[in-house]
């Protein structure tokens, strides 16, 4: 198979981990006889420094022309401490999602058995948890009208959803549930919020097309509690942009570390694959960032955008084997990890390649 992959490392540790993810794609191409052609582009703080824009037109054009994007992270402390900055790295991220029509963010939350001890949740509660989140990505409070009134003393953000936006993500989630345990949980706040009432109405209607999928509706506050109390009760979860943003970070603790979780953003065009973590400037340049989330993002890319399931499984199995052999990055190491088995970013990448 011949495919064009755009590498967009972005900022901070995005640069370090994406380089490792690319090496894994290279090895897969070599091992399975594919031809992956790479190009690279700027986004975020590095793009602002170079061009003044967090998502230069050239980057967007390259994204649209490629078959898939392997993405790192955006962000810089300079902007985190200056809420009034007009041009910001995360504007690049939001614009990319809107321009590429990436309306569904998929986050598989699966704990590798070897990391049971790395989570703050009890192993007996966690073992066997396997959740696939679908977070809506292009609507809600992030994209509605926002502003200040009363001389700046009152602020507002408008949350908006159309029937069509809910329908298309609900269908994606129902389709995925069919390939798994046939259980879908739709999360909203329909007791108080009008967009949630529309959300629930639409999901109930789409559910009629999937009589083989068992559906439940949960309020977001109850879901936040149930994720920690009994994560195994969930299979596919579908929710709106803001609720999904919060719940998926909470659920990341099920997997033990932010450095382990991959995500896919898909829609009607090019898919974007990225770790859920940010640019982590506290560890940038130290060579300690965990590259496994980027490697697992590459596995999602192979599966979802290219339909290469065997290749994707080979990557996941190599990660599993490395963990089974006792190797860890600092963020997932515990008291039982032998000091010589605690690896930096590149050494962990090299181990995964070795097992591949
Ligand atoms: P973060 O995910 O960058 O870091 C949170 C904590 O997790 C830090 O202590 C960090 O060292 C650790 N961590 C994250 N990834 C790791 C990895 N691969 N290996 C080891 N440890 C890891 O979140 P933050 O600190 O809240 O934000 C930092 C910057 O990233 C901000 O500018 C924020 O806006 C941005 N951000 C970007 C994205 C994105 O690009 N999708 C997502 C979240 C945050």
């Amino acid at each position: 198979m011949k495919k064009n992959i755009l590498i967009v490392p972005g900022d901070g540790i995005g640069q370090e981990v994406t380089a490792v993810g690319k090496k894994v794609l290279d090895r897969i191409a070599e091992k399975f006889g594919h031809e992956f052609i790479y190009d690279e582009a700027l986004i975020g703080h590095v793009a602002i420094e170079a061009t003044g824009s967090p998502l230069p037109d050239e980057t967007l054009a390259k994204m649209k022309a490629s078959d898939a994007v392997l993405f790192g992270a955006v962000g810089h402390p300079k902007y985190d401490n200056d809420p009034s900055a007009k041009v910001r790295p995360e504007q690049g991220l939001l614009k990319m999602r809107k321009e590429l029509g990436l309306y569904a963010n998929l986050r598989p939350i699966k704990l590798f058995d070897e990391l049971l001890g790395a989570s703050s949740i009890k192993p007996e509660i966690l073992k066997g948890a396997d959740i696939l989140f679908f977070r809506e990505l292009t609507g809600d409070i992030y994209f509605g009208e926002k502003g200040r009134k009363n001389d700046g003393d009152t602020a507002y953000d408008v949350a908006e959803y159309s029937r069509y936006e809910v329908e298309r993500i609900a269908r994606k989630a129902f389709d995925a549930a069919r390939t798994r345990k046939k259980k879908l949980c739709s999360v909203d706040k329909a007791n108080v919020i009008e967009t949630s009432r529309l959300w629930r109405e639409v999901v109930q209607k789409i559910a009629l097309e999937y009589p083989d999928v068992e559906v439940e509706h949960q309020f977001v506050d109850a879901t936040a509690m149930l994720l920690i109390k009994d994560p195994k009760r969930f299979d596919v979860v579908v929710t709106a942009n803001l609720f999904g943003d919060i719940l998926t970070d909470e659920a990341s603790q099920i997997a033990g570390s932010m450095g382990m979780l991959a995500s896919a953003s898909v829609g009607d065009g090019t898919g974007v694959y990225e770790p859920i973590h940010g640019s982590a400037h506290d560890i940038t340049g130290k060579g300690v960032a965990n590259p496994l989330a980027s490697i697992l993002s590459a596995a999602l890319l192979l599966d979802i955008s290219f339909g290469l399931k065997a290749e994707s499984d080979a990557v996941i199995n190599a990660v599993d084997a490395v963990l089974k052999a006792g190797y860890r990055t600092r963020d997932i190491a515990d008291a039982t990890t032998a000091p010589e088995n605690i690896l930096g970013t590149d050494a962990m990448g090299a181990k995964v390649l070795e097992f591949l």
Side-chain angles (χ1 to χ4, degrees):
M1 185 181 276
K2 188 172 170 178
K3 292 283 183 191
N4 294 302
I5 302 175
L6 185 68
I7 308 289
V8 187
D11 301 320
I13 64 164
Q15 303 269 346
E16 300 165 33
V17 298
T18 313
V20 178
K22 175 175 178 273
K23 280 188 190 155
V24 168
L25 287 170
D26 262 347
R27 178 60 56 88
I28 286 290
E30 185 189 311
K31 190 174 151 81
F32 288 85
H34 301 300
E35 189 184 348
F36 294 157
I37 302 153
Y38 303 97
D39 197 356
E40 198 158 311
L42 297 174
I43 196 168
H45 171 67
V46 290
I48 297 173
E49 295 283 290
T51 70
S53 162
L55 180 65
D57 291 343
E58 189 191 345
T59 298
L60 192 57
K62 282 184 177 182
M63 285 175 164
K64 287 183 175 165
S66 68
D67 294 309
V69 174
L70 186 68
F71 188 89
V74 296
H76 192 277
K78 181 173 146 184
Y79 309 92
D80 297 340
N81 301 326
D82 178 12
S84 65
K86 290 270 180 297
V87 181
R88 313 182 59 84
E90 56 273 23
Q91 289 165 346
L93 201 63
L94 294 182
K95 188 171 173 204
M96 172 185 81
R97 290 172 181 165
K98 207 64 178 174
E99 290 278 338
L100 294 181
L102 302 171
Y103 62 81
N105 183 241
L106 280 70
R107 292 194 186 181
I109 310 272
K110 193 174 170 172
L111 181 69
F112 287 91
D113 276 353
E114 296 71 30
L115 295 184
L116 273 172
S119 172
S120 45
I121 305 173
K122 287 187 200 134
E124 62 272 26
I125 304 270
L126 275 186
K127 198 168 167 35
D130 180 359
I131 309 173
L132 179 59
F133 269 93
F134 280 78
R135 167 187 167 197
E136 202 288 330
L137 216 51
T138 54
D140 211 349
I141 201 159
Y142 297 91
F143 293 100
E145 191 193 333
K146 50 187 82 238
R148 296 271 178 119
K149 50 188 184 182
N150 300 339
D151 290 336
D153 290 332
T154 306
Y156 60 91
D157 300 272
V158 177
E160 209 172 305
Y161 265 118
S162 68
R163 189 174 291 280
Y164 159 72
E165 285 173 310
V166 186
E167 273 172 6
R168 62 184 183 178
I169 180 125
R171 283 216 168 80
K172 277 225 184 297
F174 272 106
D175 286 340
R178 271 198 167 146
T179 68
R180 295 169 50 102
K181 291 185 205 135
K182 298 189 169 53
K183 271 179 66 181
L184 182 128
C185 176
S186 172
V187 178
D188 60 37
K189 187 77 182 166
N191 47 345
V192 231
I193 297 177
E194 194 55 36
T195 44
S196 275
R197 280 194 269 272
L198 175 74
W199 183 279
R200 190 173 289 213
E201 184 188 313
V202 172
V203 174
Q204 280 169 338
K205 194 162 156 250
I206 303 281
L208 300 174
E209 299 168 25
Y210 297 82
D212 51 326
V213 177
E214 182 193 325
V215 184
E216 70 164 340
H217 299 271
Q218 286 286 355
F219 294 134
V220 62
D221 38 353
T223 309
M225 179 270 293
L226 288 167
L227 272 173
I228 300 298
K229 186 171 173 232
D230 184 16
K232 285 194 281 268
R233 74 189 298 291
F234 294 104
D235 181 30
V236 174
V237 178
V238 62
T239 192
N241 204 346
L242 176 64
F243 298 155
D245 193 357
I246 300 165
L247 291 178
T248 50
D249 262 26
E250 183 195 350
S252 74
Q253 285 313 295
I254 294 173
S257 164
M258 301 274 282
M260 292 298 301
L261 287 183
S263 83
S265 299
V266 298
D268 301 320
T270 312
V272 177
Y273 299 83
E274 60 180 302
I276 75 157
H277 62 71
S279 49
H281 280 269
D282 53 335
I283 56 168
T284 296
K286 297 188 176 151
V288 297
N290 184 346
L292 294 178
S294 181
I295 292 174
L296 293 169
S297 300
L300 276 180
L301 181 157
L302 292 165
D303 182 6
I304 298 176
S305 273
F306 300 167
L308 299 174
K309 184 84 177 103
E311 287 81 342
S312 174
D313 285 347
V315 175
I316 296 168
N317 291 340
V319 170
D320 199 23
V322 166
L323 295 172
K324 276 207 173 80
Y327 298 106
R328 301 282 186 272
T329 43
R330 204 177 61 175
D331 56 310
I332 50 171
D334 62 20
T336 66
T337 312
E340 66 275 18
N341 282 352
I342 301 180
L343 307 179
T345 311
D346 292 340
M348 180 52 106
K351 273 286 164 223
V352 173
L353 292 181
E354 197 182 308
F355 279 77
L356 254 181

